[in-house]
Amino acid sequence: QVQLVESGGGMVQAGGSLRLSCAASGRTERRYTMGWFRQAPGSEREFVAAISWSGFSTYYADSVKGRFTISRDGAKNTDYLQMSSLKPEDTAVYYCAAALLAQATSSPGDYGYWGQGTQVTVSS
């Protein structure tokens, strides 16, 4: 099993940037694909970005392409979501997740492990 802990959330003005981190512990020797999802109040959980276990491929939702960047540091068992040009519409609780797949996926059902979430609030 893998335990995931997000950090880096907070409040930022529109146009600003935040960097979210997801620290993994447990069976991190397995080839996990890491993903980020978000959920706003009253809305369904939404895919944001994913990165393959190798880090060679990434996958982004259309709404964040060009603004968000996902990356990972294998030595630290940590993946990151760099968010730039933030908009009020980006306000949500952000969750990191892990899937026992070698390929990046946007399907929540493919992810078996989830973090507790971190709040991101973008004000105008």
Side-chain angles (χ1 to χ4, degrees):
Q1 296 185 352
V2 172
Q3 294 77 48
L4 306 174
V5 179
E6 302 99 333
S7 62
M11 181 177 291
V12 65
Q13 294 287 328
S17 300
L18 282 174
R19 185 194 189 201
L20 305 183
S21 299
C22 179
S25 61
R27 301 294 301 275
T28 56
E29 74 276 9
R30 296 178 178 177
R31 295 180 176 181
Y32 290 102
T33 286
M34 301 298 298
W36 287 93
F37 294 78
R38 66 188 183 186
Q39 187 166 17
S43 301
E44 296 182 350
R45 185 169 54 185
E46 177 187 33
F47 170 75
V48 176
I51 186 168
S52 65
W53 68 269
S54 66
F56 291 160
S57 63
T58 56
Y59 189 14
Y60 296 94
D62 289 341
S63 60
V64 305
K65 285 182 179 178
R67 300 189 298 119
F68 291 11
T69 301
I70 189 170
S71 62
R72 68 175 12 164
D73 185 333
K76 296 182 179 180
N77 293 320
T78 302
D79 69 303
Y80 304 93
L81 186 68
Q82 177 66 50
M83 306 183 294
S84 300
S85 301
L86 283 163
K87 306 174 181 179
E89 306 91 88
D90 296 319
T91 296
V93 176
Y94 283 71
Y95 300 89
C96 69
L100 278 171
L101 296 170
Q103 306 172 44
T105 175
S106 63
S107 300
D110 290 334
Y111 292 84
Y113 305 96
W114 295 83
Q116 81 288 345
T118 186
Q119 177 70 47
V120 172
T121 302
V122 184
S123 61
S124 60

